Amino acid sequence: MAKMTSLALVFCAIALTTTTATASPASEAQTWKPAGDDLAPWNRWWDRLSAEVAQVEASIEIAELLAAQSRQWTAGDLDAFCSVYAQDATFLSPNGLTRGRAQILARYKRRYDTAEKRGTLSLKIVELWLVPSRDGRVNAASAVLRWHLARKDQPDASGLSLIVLRPY
């Protein structure tokens, strides 16, 4: 976020250098206004910048969420791993379809009941799509992930997943 804040400050400095100062006859105070008294271009620019910042922040939050999930899985805390799933989540695998957070958690606990079976999970974002609202906030996201389970006594496992994220 520090880089985006710096970038925003640079843009603000540029915008201020393109404005004109007008003195108030009553107070002689300096008032900064966009050139031509037209705020519409400034507002549109600010809205675009705000939307871009929101998208960068959402991307960072998603990456942090996935990193936390990798740590939770590897530590054996499957309850925490699944706590971010929606109640009506759907899990699709070659073995079938599992519906509901509780059922998915039960499936994980059955299949990955030991540290050796769980291994060390890594999740890497391959593609990320953000769905912005009209005001620039992110309404939802979908991500293609490459997951990898490194295990000692079993072959490693890896694959691709598609996840859909939405705020709640």
Side-chain angles (χ1 to χ4, degrees):
M1 185 61 191
K3 288 184 181 180
M4 285 304 298
T5 303
S6 299
L7 182 61
L9 291 175
V10 169
F11 282 133
C12 290
I14 292 169
L16 288 175
T17 61
T18 62
T19 61
T20 58
T22 57
S24 167
S27 67
E28 295 297 319
Q30 293 287 320
T31 305
W32 292 95
K33 296 185 214 175
D37 292 327
D38 183 10
L39 287 174
W42 169 258
N43 289 338
R44 283 192 302 273
W45 173 83
W46 186 254
D47 290 344
R48 280 195 313 273
L49 179 62
S50 297
E52 289 178 27
V53 168
Q55 290 182 9
V56 168
E57 288 173 344
S59 299
I60 291 168
E61 287 178 27
I62 291 167
E64 289 172 349
L65 170 72
L66 295 172
Q69 280 198 290
S70 294
R71 289 189 302 273
Q72 293 159 348
W73 177 277
T74 301
D77 192 352
L78 298 179
D79 291 296
F81 179 83
C82 288
S83 69
V84 297
Y85 285 25
Q87 290 292 336
D88 62 347
T90 301
F91 180 82
L92 178 63
S93 74
N95 297 328
L97 188 66
T98 306
R99 287 194 168 96
R101 180 194 315 168
Q103 292 77 12
I104 295 168
L105 176 59
R107 178 188 185 281
Y108 288 157
K109 286 183 174 183
R110 274 192 314 276
R111 282 187 62 112
Y112 303 101
D113 57 343
T114 66
E116 292 78 23
K117 290 179 185 176
R118 270 190 317 279
T120 301
L121 176 66
S122 63
L123 298 168
K124 178 183 176 192
I125 298 173
V126 176
E127 292 183 22
L128 179 64
W129 298 278
L130 302 174
V131 181
S133 64
R134 289 184 184 199
D135 64 3
R137 289 180 294 146
V138 175
N139 276 347
S142 64
V144 173
L145 306 177
R146 178 164 304 282
W147 57 269
H148 183 86
L149 278 179
R151 300 183 282 195
K152 292 180 183 176
D153 297 331
Q154 297 179 33
D156 287 1
S158 63
L160 294 170
S161 290
L162 173 65
I163 63 170
V164 177
L165 302 119
R166 61 180 189 239
Y168 60 95

